[in-house]
Amino acid sequence: MVVVTRIRREVLTLPAARLGADNPLPPLRPLDEVHRIDDRDREEMPRDMARQLGLEPLAGLLPVRVRDGYGRTREPRRVEALVIENDRLRATVLPGLGGRIASLLHLPTGRELLYRNPVFQPANFALNGAWYSGGIEWNIGATGHTTLSCAPLHAARVPAPDGGEMLRLWEWERLRDLPFQVDLWLPEGSDFLYVGARIRNPHERPVATYWWSNIAVPEDVRVLAPAEEAWFFGYERRLRRVPVPSYDGVDRTYPANSPYAADYFYEVPDGRRRWIAALDADGHGLVQTSSDVLRGRKLFVWGAGPGGRRWQQWLTEPGTGGYCEIQAGLARTQLEHVRLEAESEVSWLEAYGPLDAPPGGEWTEAVREAEGRLASALPRTRVEEAYAAWKPCADTEPAQTLAVGSGWGALEVLRADWKLPGTPFPESTLGEAQAPWRELLRTGSLPEPRRVRPPGETLVAPHWRDMLETAPATPHTEYHLGVAQWHAGDRAQAVRSWERALPLAPSLWPLLRCLAVADQEAGHHERAAERFAEAFDDLCRERRDDGEVWTAAVAALGREALEALLRARRTVQARAVWDRLLPAVRQRGRFRLLHAELLLAEGSRARARAVFDEDFEVADLREGADVIGRLWARLGDEPLPGRYDFRMRPDPV
């Protein structure tokens, strides 16, 4: 009996950490991005690659908020899922967590084709913080993991090109102000999941865009791709061309052979079919292929060193097998952005499925054999035909809503009256976060908050900034205007807006905090420390309760104040801030690390060392960060304990 493709709801129960409240402080500082390179490396690059490396790099996270409210305590939690399956494949999608494909199961063999993480554990890898490992994720926006990693997407049933059902995911990406969609379907009897993707630019100006489909697979594989060279990026911030499969006498297509975390961006020759595969020792695994628009292919490895192993443990459960990532993107490397012309779009088709081929032996022969097996299982022409069949369906309006994302797309559509067939952003999705901006759009005035609470999100795009500049200059409006001006690079005017708001503002701490960050960025660290301390005092007086929102504000501002005061060597004021933190906040790993630094600054080396001996976990430790190792080195000459070793690069010589 033929089993037709179907989409159904499912609830997964996973050991999961809570995401917690977002950080309410606007992210004014430059983006903490580890994927930067030495300028001298550009001299050896192809011209188009060098040009795209310099195309509108992201300077900051606004208007997106930082997500750092998660912890490391996992409890069984229900996770909503959508399952699309035929008689050959079953794909499990998490619409509330970035639309990630958590599992791709090949039904005839019972093989899981992906690395399926048995837990949900956020970690600080997304551009805005919270991210989790495993499955297939859709990275849009700018270099790094998308800000939508742990955010809900819109989802709906849509008629598929073959008359069956298709699962559509879509959302408004806020860093670049672009709508995108991902369509998933399984043709009858197909061993391959088809994915149609589209990014649209409705603006009257070109926009830099970015896309990488990120596929987690088990680590004990060999990764094959049609390339003889790759661009190697380690966390020493160098990008250089290396031979494939081996350099320095080591075959790097086996993930376990790399000592440290690294990216290998394969140089797939023009005209060659775009594909990448990960095959285990028995020759079984996953292959990903696409239409030619998705030109880049990449292997990411954690490395066999202690730091890489620690990160692997950190992101899942002890005893769980490790993973690596194979990826596909719009450019050669993830350090590049692609120009999307005004009122245009870019689209492509991907296919994911099982592949059986001998992985070992000489590189050219292994690649040729795998490519031949792929051609038999899914001819290149069939991918192009599937893409051509999908394109007219991309505009088809959804038949049934299955999940709801944010209201930001609805706000932009309301503002500009854009027509975006296939990806509706109805006014019904507008929520509390969008309400004041809808009022600004309707009346020309930004409403004052109805109750005392931390300020809401600030919209910073030029059209919203223009509206703020012409709105009545209330303290609340001046605060948001200053944030928008700061984002635009007009820092002097931003400071003036915040200073104008101070005399009449009922709430001082948000303004004082912004001015403190401005002082820091200008190198005035003493004045910044003073303002941070004053802002924290005001917040403690204003705080209404110990609920999640106010606790997030106290933790976020308390951390910034402690760091600024310690930098200025104001230990007495730093201790005063520490003493007023909520007990639950002081127990967080990030704050225990800060307490050790405070104790050391006070001259209590033994007590600072005792904090390490008692053990702690910094839940929001940033990818590539060495803050724990630097503080440990100040406490003595002993080697860094393995539980604190997250080094992703060799120590400097």
Side-chain angles (χ1 to χ4, degrees), residues 372-395:
R373 301 281 183 98
L374 172 60
S376 297
L378 184 68
R380 189 175 185 179
T381 54
R382 193 181 303 168
V383 172
E384 298 300 333
E385 290 166 357
Y387 173 67
W390 167 74
K391 276 290 287 178
C393 300
D395 285 348

Side-chain angles (χ1 to χ4, degrees), residues 23-25 68 513 551-561 585 588 591:
N23 188 323
L25 308 182
D68 60 1
R513 182 264 174 180
T551 297
V554 171
L557 186 55
R559 173 183 169 180
E560 290 188 347
V585 172
R588 296 180 187 177
F591 286 87

Side-chain angles (χ1 to χ4, degrees), residues 32 49 51 98 133 154 219 262 299 314 319 394 441 502 526 535 562:
D32 178 19
M49 182 175 170
R51 182 175 62 253
S133 65
H154 301 279
E219 190 177 42
L299 164 64
W314 186 255
L441 186 62
L502 274 175
E526 287 287 337
L562 279 168

Side-chain angles (χ1 to χ4, degrees), residues 176-321:
R176 301 296 191 183
D177 244 355
L178 301 175
F180 72 98
Q181 73 188 77
V182 175
D183 289 353
L184 312 173
W185 80 101
L186 285 163
E188 182 180 309
S190 174
D191 274 320
F192 285 83
L193 173 70
Y194 287 171
V195 179
R198 174 168 66 167
I199 306 171
R200 289 194 276 203
N201 177 14
H203 302 283
E204 296 178 348
R205 54 180 170 79
V207 177
T209 192
Y210 171 96
W211 184 278
W212 281 81
S213 301
N214 186 351
I215 309 131
V217 293
E219 190 177 42
D220 53 348
V221 294
R222 190 185 197 190
V223 173
L224 302 177
E228 302 294 331
E229 292 182 312
W231 294 92
F232 168 75
F233 177 81
Y235 285 76
E236 305 93 336
R237 298 191 173 177
R238 298 297 308 277
L239 184 67
R240 60 185 184 272
R241 198 191 301 253
V242 299
V244 174
S246 301
Y247 78 94
D248 290 343
V250 178
D251 188 335
R252 307 294 174 132
T253 62
Y254 292 91
N257 286 350
S258 289
Y260 289 94
D263 298 327
Y264 299 89
F265 299 102
Y266 294 113
E267 186 69 77
V268 180
D270 291 341
R272 192 79 180 265
R273 185 175 186 178
R274 311 285 166 175
W275 63 274
I276 189 168
L279 304 175
D280 65 20
D282 295 325
H284 306 309
L286 171 82
V287 64
Q288 186 273 359
T289 187
S290 71
S291 51
D292 288 351
V293 167
L294 207 63
R295 67 169 299 176
R297 293 297 184 275
K298 171 195 163 183
L299 164 64
F300 166 76
V301 299
W302 282 106
R309 306 331 296 168
R310 185 70 181 103
W311 272 119
Q312 295 258 33
Q313 299 165 5
W314 186 255
L315 296 171
T316 184
E317 288 184 331
T320 304

Side-chain angles (χ1 to χ4, degrees), residues 8-12 78-83 92-96 102:
R8 58 182 170 83
R9 297 181 185 274
E10 190 171 281
V11 176
L12 308 180
R78 291 163 60 88
V79 179
E80 298 293 330
L82 297 171
V83 176
T92 303
V93 182
L94 308 181

Side-chain angles (χ1 to χ4, degrees), residues 445-515:
S445 298
L446 193 69
E448 290 295 305
R450 295 181 179 177
R451 56 194 172 102
V452 177
R453 62 181 303 174
E457 297 180 60
T458 302
L459 296 183
V460 297
H463 41 267
W464 293 107
R465 188 175 71 248
D466 290 345
M467 281 186 263
L468 288 170
E469 287 175 344
T470 57
T474 65
H476 186 60
T477 300
E478 293 281 19
Y479 162 79
H480 285 291
L481 175 58
V483 174
Q485 290 166 332
W486 182 273
H487 174 74
D490 193 350
R491 296 190 169 188
Q493 190 59 55
V495 168
R496 284 193 286 272
S497 294
W498 293 325
E499 289 177 340
R500 278 197 307 268
L502 274 175
L504 298 177
S507 182
L508 299 180
W509 66 267
L511 296 160
L512 290 169
R513 182 264 174 180
C514 289
L515 290 168

